[in-house]
Amino acid sequence: MATGLLMLALFTVCYTLIARTLSNGILTAPILYIGFGYLMAQTGLMPLGEAEHLLNIVAEIALIVLLFLDAAQINLQILRKRHQWPVRMLALGLPLTIAIGTLAAAPFLPGEPIIVAALAAALLAPTDAALGLAVVTNKAVPERVRRALTLESGLNDGLALPVILLFASLAGEVMQPGSGDWLVFGAKQLVFGPLVGGVIGAVGGVLFLAAKRRNMTTDTIEGIGALAMAGSAYLAAGMVDGNGFIASFVAGLFLGNVIKGQCAFIYEFTESEGQMLSWGAFFLIGLTLVPQAVLHLDAASLAIILISLFVVRPLSVWLSLTGTDAAPLTRLFFGWFGPRGLATALFALLVVDQIDQEIGERLLNLAVNAVWISAVLHGVTAVPLSRLYSARMSGRDGAAEMASVPPMRPEISTDRS
């Protein structure tokens, strides 16, 4: 195990030395870390049992922290008033993705209840900006377009999670008729989680502001407090049978909209330590889940994944943006750059034990295969398609894509008077 961790550390050092050069090519961090994890699995240097245990730990921490911080960066007032495209893609596009995805997946899951197809579609719905980093950081792509993709991916995983948990509970009930335990469990998860998270986030935000006004804390200490708040929401929700991940997401949403930019850590963490968490999770997915998933990649699973990437997401986004000022080319651009990432794999890990073992394993393999296929397809197309899109949009000074929009990230307050 120690040798494997040493090789991961050295690999990370090497990657950071050439990260900027690689960002202009087709090899993204998720591709490299998933691939390196897969190669390490072939060497046997990291025992599978220990690696799976480590994955569970890293996966939970990554989900708690990233859900919390992604939500904390969202200014709901500005999002509602000035960011029509991501609002449409979240409010209409996400439900459409799940609905159309259910219809598309059902023929490839013969003999299974429709709720299984719905659960598969919901697992494949969240997107991950980390897999499209070359797009959202490319200054040649209009700022409004990049911001819309970032906002959508920052919120849709938290919004999809309640649906996934609901479908998992319904699937458990369908597969074990006559038992109401699954539905009661699901109801508690969906009700108590948001309640606990909302209270902790709102109260925590008020306490943060009070401490700052009295100069009783520092930026570094506030960061530790923010992470502790995410963990508090997760643990407190679990104590009342609520879902801790939903609680963390809602806590971040409430905290961010109470403090409104007065805690710099919330924005800085996702650019440094958050990246390390994400890379570590991708590595462990490649190490522990991808080898098994590849062995179970049959024609039906591949069809579901490719239809989800090439048809379901683009069609849902196109329909959701109908009637807006987004150009047809922009709708296609949005539709393609919806890569599946950590949320898809980690949410599948969450529900695999809640339903029939055989179906659970099949859905987990489907999700993991979707992640690595998406990482490759979206990774290799990010730079060339961004350049092509930018070239097509250049010179359209009056286009809606060129309009300025207020940043979701507020100016960080450093005043401690």
Side-chain angles (χ1 to χ4, degrees):
M1 186 69 168
T3 303
L5 291 175
L6 172 61
M7 294 186 68
L8 173 61
L10 293 175
F11 177 82
T12 300
V13 171
C14 294
Y15 172 75
T16 58
L17 294 176
I18 56 174
R20 185 170 184 179
T21 301
L22 290 176
S23 67
N24 295 319
I26 63 175
L27 294 177
T28 64
I31 291 177
L32 291 172
Y33 275 87
I34 290 174
F36 185 64
Y38 182 79
L39 290 176
M40 287 294 293
Q42 314 310 310
T43 67
L45 291 175
M46 297 187 75
L48 187 58
E50 294 182 32
E52 288 178 345
H53 178 66
L54 186 60
L55 171 62
N56 290 332
I57 296 173
V58 172
E60 287 205 9
I61 293 175
L63 266 181
I64 294 166
V65 172
L66 297 179
L67 283 172
F68 177 85
L69 294 178
D70 280 348
Q73 296 183 36
I74 304 299
N75 186 315
L76 291 177
Q77 184 177 9
I78 294 178
L79 177 65
R80 186 176 63 253
K81 292 182 177 180
R82 300 294 303 275
H83 292 273
Q84 183 188 31
W85 294 348
V87 169
R88 284 289 198 98
M89 288 191 286
L90 290 166
L92 297 177
L94 183 59
L96 282 172
T97 298
I98 296 173
I100 298 174
T102 301
L103 297 176
F108 299 100
L109 296 168
E112 302 296 345
I114 189 66
I115 192 64
V116 174
L119 180 55
L123 287 170
L124 296 182
T127 61
D128 189 345
L131 271 73
L133 199 61
V135 176
V136 299
T137 60
N138 188 334
K139 297 297 180 65
V141 177
E143 184 181 14
R144 186 182 180 189
V145 175
R146 289 186 283 118
R147 192 165 289 156
L149 285 171
T150 302
L151 290 174
E152 183 206 10
S153 64
L155 280 174
N156 67 6
D157 48 2
L159 295 177
L161 180 54
V163 179
I164 291 169
L165 293 173
L166 174 62
F167 288 171
S169 297
L170 292 174
E173 174 67 16
V174 169
M175 293 171 185
Q176 296 182 10
S179 172
D181 292 345
W182 290 105
L183 294 180
V184 172
F185 172 77
K188 287 181 178 180
Q189 294 263 299
L190 298 178
V191 173
F192 294 144
L195 286 177
V196 170
V199 171
I200 289 178
V203 173
V206 171
L207 293 177
F208 264 116
L209 292 181
K212 290 179 73 70
R213 283 195 297 268
R214 293 166 175 78
N215 200 27
M216 297 168 60
T217 185
T218 66
D219 289 341
T220 301
I221 299 302
E222 287 168 2
I224 297 173
L227 289 181
M229 191 180 301
S232 298
Y234 175 82
L235 295 171
M239 294 177 68
V240 294
D241 293 332
N243 183 268
F245 298 106
I246 295 178
S248 299
F249 178 79
V250 175
L253 206 58
F254 273 74
L255 173 70
N257 283 272
V258 170
I259 64 174
K260 294 183 178 177
Q262 298 186 61
C263 180
F265 172 85
I266 286 175
Y267 307 95
E268 294 169 351
F269 183 90
T270 52
E271 297 174 355
S272 52
E273 292 90 343
Q275 289 247 7
M276 291 179 62
L277 267 178
S278 176
W279 294 348
F282 278 122
F283 168 77
L284 290 170
I285 288 172
L287 176 69
T288 63
L289 300 181
V290 171
Q292 184 71 12
V294 169
L295 295 177
H296 292 84
L297 182 59
D298 54 18
S301 296
L302 184 60
I304 293 174
I305 293 168
L306 295 181
I307 291 173
S308 177
L309 297 178
F310 285 95
V311 179
V312 174
R313 159 80 183 185
L315 177 59
S316 300
V317 169
W318 184 278
L319 293 174
S320 70
L321 294 176
T322 299
T324 69
D325 53 2
L329 184 60
T330 299
R331 294 192 214 176
L332 291 175
F333 192 75
F334 283 149
W336 172 242
F337 284 109
R340 279 45 165 195
L342 283 182
T344 292
L346 302 185
F347 288 168
L349 276 174
L350 285 180
V351 304
V352 68
D353 293 329
Q354 297 184 29
I355 57 179
D356 177 81
Q357 182 178 359
E358 183 178 349
I359 296 300
E361 291 293 336
R362 183 173 184 181
L363 290 179
L364 177 60
N365 290 327
L366 175 71
V368 173
N369 281 319
V371 171
W372 76 258
I373 290 173
S374 177
V376 172
L377 292 179
H378 290 102
V380 300
T381 59
V383 171
L385 290 187
S386 292
R387 289 173 178 167
L388 178 62
Y389 174 75
S390 302
R392 293 288 184 90
M393 295 303 298
S394 63
R396 301 187 184 184
D397 296 332
E401 286 73 8
M402 304 303 172
S404 61
V405 290
M408 292 301 297
R409 175 183 297 192
E411 184 177 350
I412 304 300
S413 173
T414 56
D415 182 14
R416 292 196 174 270
S417 59

